[in-house]
Amino acid sequence: MTVCLRMLSGMGMTKQDNLFSDPKDSVADFSFDAMVADVFPDMLRRSIPGYENIISMLGVLARGYAKNNTCVYDLGCSLGAATLSVHRHTRDLSLQHICVDNSAAMIQRCQSKLKRHMPASSVELICDDIQNIQIKNASVVLLNFTLQFLPPKTRLSLLETIYQGLEEGGVLILSEKLIFSDQGVNQQFIDWHHEFKRANGYSDLEISQKRMAIENVMIPDTLATHKQRLAEAGFSQTQQWFQAFNFSSLVALK
Ligand code: GEK
């Protein structure tokens, strides 16, 4: 396995993701372990169309809703990229950042990164399932590509908890991979996404082994399902502000 270091904007040195480059006899379910955490910035940048764009716009969007002396939750924070983006745009406010992830490998790396990049901020890091977290006094909640990893039956309940914990005028920003109800359309989007990954240097073997690893772990919904679920949870208004191939982001207002 070759190790390659790359410089990513604002992220420092990061290892190249080649976790699925060697043929495997059987592909285990994907987990957010130390090996994944070590290559994570490269993995997301080359796998999620528009990832860097979404990250930088999260800060721009959050700026409009973050209120002094409230909490900003980053649920499924991984290495804290979304929290850092919000921080860049809200330095003048007094905010309590609460970053949650159930991967110890992610939380450890997130902690040292946030200490380095936002040392003067109030940040609480929690290694736990986001379903166990009490949300309170929140002006901004980020679910950036995390809801899709929860069992579908539990998703509404999490959104209800978030809605209850948001202050009036607060916002949930929800980014997700999408599926499409028309099979032909769905396949078209999958093909475009795979072409995007090929263009970013992933081989067909890497693409198919990663797909096998993730298919039982990450279960995407349609845009209509998301909108309906958000409405059911109480959100009065939902806007889709971003889509690149089958990856999208929504703003839901309380
Ligand atoms: C980013 N938001 O860079 N409880 C807590 N954490 C969870 C759970 C759960 N039930 N399920 C998954 N995770 C980040 C990217 S990655 C998206 C988010 C991706 C965590 C998991 O450990 C991982 O760190 C994160 O959610 C999903 O803006 O890998 O496609």
Side-chain angles (χ1 to χ4, degrees):
M1 196 181 281
T2 50
V3 176
C4 168
L5 292 174
R6 294 177 173 211
M7 189 67 114
L8 291 182
S9 57
M11 290 189 164
M13 286 296 201
T14 179
K15 283 187 204 158
Q16 184 173 358
D17 166 29
N18 50 24
L19 296 178
F20 293 94
S21 60
D22 297 331
K24 296 177 194 298
D25 292 337
S26 70
V27 180
D29 277 352
F30 189 83
S31 84
F32 292 95
D33 57 18
M35 284 200 307
V36 168
D38 281 341
V39 299
F40 201 63
D42 183 64
M43 177 184 277
L44 289 203
R45 186 184 60 83
R46 293 200 288 139
S47 305
I48 300 185
Y51 173 74
E52 287 162 312
N53 201 225
I54 292 172
I55 288 292
S56 53
M57 292 309 132
L58 287 181
V60 173
L61 286 166
R63 171 75 231 183
Y65 302 92
K67 295 266 178 315
N68 233 351
N69 303 316
T70 63
C71 300
V72 174
Y73 287 80
D74 185 354
L75 303 178
C77 60
S78 302
L79 304 180
T83 291
L84 270 175
S85 173
V86 173
H87 170 67
R88 277 186 209 112
H89 293 268
T90 56
R91 287 172 204 271
D92 56 320
L93 299 179
S94 168
L95 297 172
Q96 170 72 35
H97 291 274
I98 298 157
C99 302
V100 187
D101 205 292
N102 63 356
S103 155
M106 291 291 185
I107 284 289
Q108 278 161 12
R109 287 158 182 78
C110 183
Q111 183 167 31
S112 55
K113 195 168 180 177
L114 298 189
K115 245 190 203 160
R116 214 167 47 244
H117 292 287
M118 41 194 288
S121 301
S122 178
V123 181
E124 185 184 356
L125 282 130
I126 303 173
C127 189
D128 201 350
D129 193 310
I130 54 176
Q131 295 169 96
N132 298 333
I133 302 302
Q134 226 199 318
I135 311 279
K136 45 183 198 283
N137 187 32
S139 55
V140 176
V141 178
L142 307 168
L143 267 175
N144 202 40
F145 299 109
T146 307
L147 191 67
Q148 58 200 8
F149 291 101
L150 258 56
K153 278 189 187 148
T154 68
R155 294 177 187 178
L156 174 60
S157 156
L158 177 72
L159 295 187
E160 285 170 344
T161 303
I162 293 171
Y163 184 80
Q164 301 302 332
L166 274 168
E167 295 295 303
E168 212 56 49
V171 73
L172 164 66
I173 306 177
L174 172 67
S175 309
E176 291 273 291
K177 185 176 186 180
L178 295 178
I179 51 166
F180 299 82
S181 39
D182 181 287
Q183 285 228 332
V185 171
N186 196 47
Q187 192 54 51
Q188 178 69 83
F189 275 98
I190 290 169
D191 292 346
W192 286 336
H193 178 224
H194 288 176
E195 205 51 56
F196 166 84
K197 292 186 77 167
R198 262 180 230 114
N200 282 330
Y202 284 117
S203 66
D204 287 342
L205 179 69
E206 285 176 293
I207 293 170
S208 73
Q209 292 193 138
K210 171 80 182 284
R211 189 174 163 85
M212 277 187 250
I214 206 118
E215 68 190 356
N216 297 324
V217 177
M218 191 190 86
I219 299 164
D221 288 315
T222 62
L223 181 60
T225 300
H226 283 297
K227 286 187 168 173
Q228 194 191 334
R229 190 188 286 129
L230 286 162
E232 220 176 309
F235 289 94
S236 56
Q237 219 199 97
T238 299
Q239 295 295 343
Q240 184 192 29
W241 70 271
F242 181 91
Q243 185 172 333
F245 303 130
N246 38 357
F247 291 78
S248 183
S249 191
L250 307 171
V251 166
L253 300 178
K254 175 154 176 177

